[in-house]
Amino acid sequence: MAVPKRKTAKSATRSRRAANMQITANGLIECPQCHEPKLSHRVCPECGHYKGKEVVAK
C-alpha cells in the first residue's frame, strides 16, 4: 500500500480543492420572454415558454 512520504500542507490541500469551487453551471441562458436564467433547450420554469410558444400553462 502506498504511504505518503511527507504530510500535505493545509494550503496545498485547500488550493487544490478551491479549483473545484469555481465551477459554474453551464448552459444557462436568458429566457427571451421573461428574461430569467434557464437551461438551454428546455422549457422555462418561470413562464412555461419554449421557442417562442407557451407549452406549459403557468
Side-chain angles (χ1 to χ4, degrees):
M1 188 167 90
V3 178
K5 197 167 237 183
R6 300 253 185 264
K7 179 180 178 178
T8 306
K10 289 179 187 175
S11 62
T13 304
R14 290 174 182 165
S15 68
R16 184 178 65 245
R17 289 178 182 163
N20 295 329
M21 298 298 171
Q22 297 174 2
I23 297 173
T24 59
N26 293 335
L28 281 180
I29 60 165
E30 183 180 290
C31 175
Q33 302 291 328
C34 63
H35 307 289
E36 291 289 322
K38 72 173 193 89
L39 288 171
S40 60
H41 306 290
R42 281 167 181 78
V43 176
C44 178
E46 300 297 319
C47 64
H49 280 79
Y50 181 68
K51 288 191 177 180
K53 300 175 188 170
E54 185 178 6
V55 258
V56 179
K58 286 283 178 175

